[in-house]
Amino acid sequence: MIQDLNAKIVYALLLAAAAIILLLGFLVCADVIGRAVFNSPVKGTPEMVSMSIVIICFLLAGYAVQSGGMIFTDAIIARFGNRGLAFGQLLSALFGILFFGLIVWGSVEPTLHAITSGEYEGEGALRVPAWPARSIVFIGSALVVFTYILFGISAAARLVNGQPEPAPRPRSHH
């Protein structure tokens, strides 16, 4: 049940990232056309694009982990059987928890500062608030830590009982 809820949250963030990518495409096209045809680019495009890239990456991080898309090489570990593969996946989950946990820990203060101080990116024509990007880094990293915890628990159970990894089941996102 928790895994299904996590999967739905991760999928919702995937959809949000896709929507941002689509909107960003329109923004960049408008900027290029405005620059080339009217000699007037869309103000603040570089700031919005740079913030959006960070937001997109951390919105997609949970999906990358959940779908098995994070870097993991099982060529050597798989030769040690089910327990070797489970051990490798457990180790991968522990390193993922450590890495993204450090990002969560390191982003708490900057996120709170961005929210309370009105921090922004850019000068002049358009000032983009920094709190959305900082918040997404925090939330996205926390979700990745949670997803790695779920994977770590599953890998630890398979390590103890020697069972193979369950076959991936089709995901329903409706």
Side-chain angles (χ1 to χ4, degrees):
M1 181 165 141
I2 290 177
Q3 290 174 335
D4 290 337
L5 177 61
N6 187 58
K8 288 179 181 179
I9 293 169
V10 163
Y11 186 71
L13 295 181
L14 171 70
L15 293 177
I20 293 170
I21 291 168
L22 180 68
L23 294 172
L24 204 55
F26 284 119
L27 174 66
V28 171
C29 286
D31 184 61
V32 169
I33 291 169
R35 187 178 307 270
V37 176
F38 304 109
N39 198 26
S40 178
V42 176
K43 293 178 180 5
T45 298
E47 292 83 5
M48 287 188 281
V49 169
S50 67
M51 290 290 238
S52 295
I53 290 170
V54 172
I55 290 171
I56 290 165
C57 287
F58 281 90
L59 286 175
L60 293 175
Y63 183 77
V65 173
Q66 186 179 55
S67 67
M70 283 301 228
I71 298 172
F72 180 81
T73 304
D74 63 350
I76 296 172
I77 294 172
R79 294 180 188 215
F80 294 106
N82 292 336
R83 282 199 165 96
L85 183 57
F87 177 74
Q89 291 170 334
L90 177 60
L91 198 59
S92 176
L94 291 174
F95 281 127
I97 291 167
L98 176 66
F99 179 77
F100 282 95
L102 287 172
I103 293 174
V104 169
W105 180 62
S107 65
V108 171
E109 187 178 327
T111 301
L112 293 175
H113 174 73
I115 292 169
T116 58
S117 72
E119 178 185 355
Y120 63 90
E121 291 286 325
E123 297 293 330
L126 182 69
R127 295 168 29 158
V128 180
W131 69 264
R134 293 199 185 277
S135 298
I136 293 297
V137 168
F138 174 77
I139 293 166
S141 296
L143 181 63
V144 170
V145 167
F146 184 70
T147 303
Y148 269 128
I149 288 170
L150 294 176
F151 281 165
I153 291 169
S154 174
R158 284 185 281 107
L159 180 62
V160 169
N161 64 27
Q163 290 181 342
E165 184 175 12
R169 62 181 192 191
R171 292 193 181 126
S172 172
H173 302 294
H174 304 287

